[in-house]
């Protein structure tokens, strides 16, 4: 338990210049089929051909709250690049998430995982946990902790992945 708390503390205090790390997991990309806060179903498999940032987050996560505006700016910077963000809430109520969305204003789908079922499949242990899925449907990068997503280096990495 002590190690987990220390790890979480490190993740929540990561510098804003942290970069994407090559994914070292094994096996296929876990499935992800969830509804958004409006009730629309999203299936990760339907986004094949695009780079997808899958973020697991929570309303009580300070770095999550801080970085979402930079995620909006990232979408703008990606321009016509085939790119989408799917932000998966980790087990909170619809009311909690809607209040957060109204306050923070994310401009991308907020998926609901009220039972936290996808957390296990994706091996998520902290918020925020980020996975970058390439156009081939495979996870290429991870990033654990908060970051300014519109950082030019991150944008370049994502555009490069989209052009592969």
């Amino acid at each position: 338990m002590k190690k987990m708390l220390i790890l979480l503390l490190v993740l929540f205090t990561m510098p804003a210049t942290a970069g994407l790390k090559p994914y070292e997991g094994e096996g296929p990309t876990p499935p992800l089929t969830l509804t958004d806060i409006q009730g629309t179903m999203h299936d990760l498999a339907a986004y094949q051909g695009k780079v997808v940032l899958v973020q697991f987050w929570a309303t009580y996560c300070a770095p999550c709250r801080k970085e979402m505006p930079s995620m909006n700016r990232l979408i703008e910077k990606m321009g016509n690049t085939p790119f989408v963000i799917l932000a998966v809430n980790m087990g909170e109520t619809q009311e909690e998430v809607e209040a957060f969305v109204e306050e923070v204003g994310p401009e991308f789908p907020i998926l609901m995982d009220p039972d936290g079922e996808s957390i296990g499949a994706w091996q998520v242990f902290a918020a925020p946990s980020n996975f970058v899925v390439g156009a081939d449907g495979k996870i290429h990068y991870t990033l654990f902790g908060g970051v300014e997503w519109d950082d030019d280096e991150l944008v370049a990495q994502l555009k490069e992945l989209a052009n592969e």
Side-chain angles (χ1 to χ4, degrees), residues 61-138:
C61 165
C64 300
R65 179 176 300 275
K66 183 178 181 213
E67 74 182 350
M68 282 207 179
S70 75
M71 293 165 74
N72 289 339
R73 295 187 301 271
L74 169 62
I75 292 169
E76 289 178 28
K77 284 190 169 187
M78 292 299 286
N80 293 329
T81 304
F83 173 76
V84 67
I85 297 173
L86 298 176
V88 181
N89 179 265
M90 297 175 13
E92 296 180 281
T93 68
Q94 182 87 15
E95 293 77 23
E96 290 170 313
V97 174
E98 285 175 351
F100 177 91
V101 166
E102 188 173 317
E103 179 185 335
V104 177
E107 298 170 3
F108 41 86
I110 301 296
L111 308 185
M112 300 297 296
D113 188 6
D115 300 321
E117 292 179 18
S118 61
I119 295 169
W122 284 76
Q123 299 181 4
V124 172
F125 56 89
S129 289
N130 303 280
F131 300 86
V132 178
V133 178
D136 59 2
K138 296 178 183 175

Side-chain angles (χ1 to χ4, degrees), residues 23 25-29:
Y23 180 65
E26 296 179 10
T29 301

Side-chain angles (χ1 to χ4, degrees), residues 6-15 63 125-129 143-146:
I6 290 170
L7 179 59
L8 290 174
L9 228 178
V10 169
L11 289 174
F12 289 149
T13 58
M14 287 178 69
F125 56 89
S129 289
L143 192 153
F144 300 104

